[in-house]
Amino acid sequence: MYGELIPVGGGDPIPLLKKSLLVGRRESCDVVLRFSNVSAHHCQLNVNDGYWHVRDLQSRNGIKVNGVRVTDKRIDPGDVLSVAKHKYEMQYSPIDLGAVGPPPADLPAADFLDKSLLERAGLEKRKFIPKKTPSDPDPSERYDITNDDPGHIRFRNHPL
């Protein structure tokens, strides 16, 4: 066994039986979390240089380490991994997994600087850009609502 995920708030520990584990809702995953807010293939856990690392697999509700949303991060012993809203304390011994010396530095993802601070925090709203189709009226052909006949709509240059 390579460690355990201990559910925060109680529950049965989840043994980490391999050095590479797929976590998700599907029965084919190594760690199955049967919650509707967990993606089919939510994240990947791997041991690298004696330390567990987690990588988000473009899940809908994301992952967090110690309350901070991440896409790829080392998880130290005692850290809390959140899969969607489900929290687990990571328990393992780096020495038993082959760690030598201090933990390796977390490297930022390659696309880290390509995104704005709002995007990295998950706060930027999607932008709506309307598409113009050939059937769209000319912008000069706007509609007017006349006051003399309630409910009557008349298009400029096009009498009804």
Side-chain angles (χ1 to χ4, degrees):
M1 188 163 78
Y2 298 98
E4 290 181 311
L5 290 172
I6 309 297
V8 174
D12 295 331
I14 299 169
L16 305 175
L17 301 174
K18 302 188 307 186
K19 287 188 173 187
S20 180
L21 299 165
L22 178 61
V23 179
R25 195 177 65 242
R26 287 228 173 114
E27 293 297 322
S28 60
C29 293
D30 300 305
V31 176
V32 179
L33 300 176
R34 293 178 183 93
F35 301 105
S36 61
N37 61 348
V38 173
S39 296
H41 295 141
H42 203 95
C43 61
Q44 181 78 36
L45 290 169
N46 293 302
V47 174
N48 295 326
D49 298 325
Y51 289 88
W52 279 100
H53 293 257
V54 64
R55 182 171 47 93
D56 189 6
L57 299 177
Q58 298 180 342
S59 63
R60 183 169 184 92
N61 292 310
I63 57 172
K64 294 180 181 180
V65 174
N66 296 328
V68 178
R69 190 166 184 152
V70 296
T71 55
D72 197 345
K73 174 105 173 84
R74 183 185 71 239
I75 309 172
D76 293 327
D79 282 353
V80 174
L81 170 65
S82 300
V83 178
K85 299 232 180 230
H86 310 281
K87 297 179 181 181
Y88 302 90
E89 181 182 337
M90 179 68 83
Q91 289 187 353
Y92 70 99
S93 170
I95 294 171
D96 292 346
L97 298 182
V100 178
D106 267 335
L107 297 175
D111 63 345
F112 183 75
L113 296 176
D114 294 340
K115 295 181 179 179
S116 73
L117 185 59
L118 288 174
E119 285 175 308
R120 285 183 264 155
L123 298 174
E124 186 169 279
K125 293 181 180 179
R126 292 184 178 160
K127 294 176 183 157
F128 175 74
I129 300 172
K131 294 181 181 176
K132 180 153 175 54
T133 62
S135 63
D136 285 347
D138 185 327
S140 65
E141 297 176 359
R142 307 247 183 227
Y143 62 89
D144 291 325
I145 299 175
T146 62
N147 291 331
D148 54 340
D149 185 8
H152 180 77
I153 298 175
R154 178 177 49 89
F155 286 91
R156 283 188 211 148
N157 305 326
H158 297 286
L160 294 177

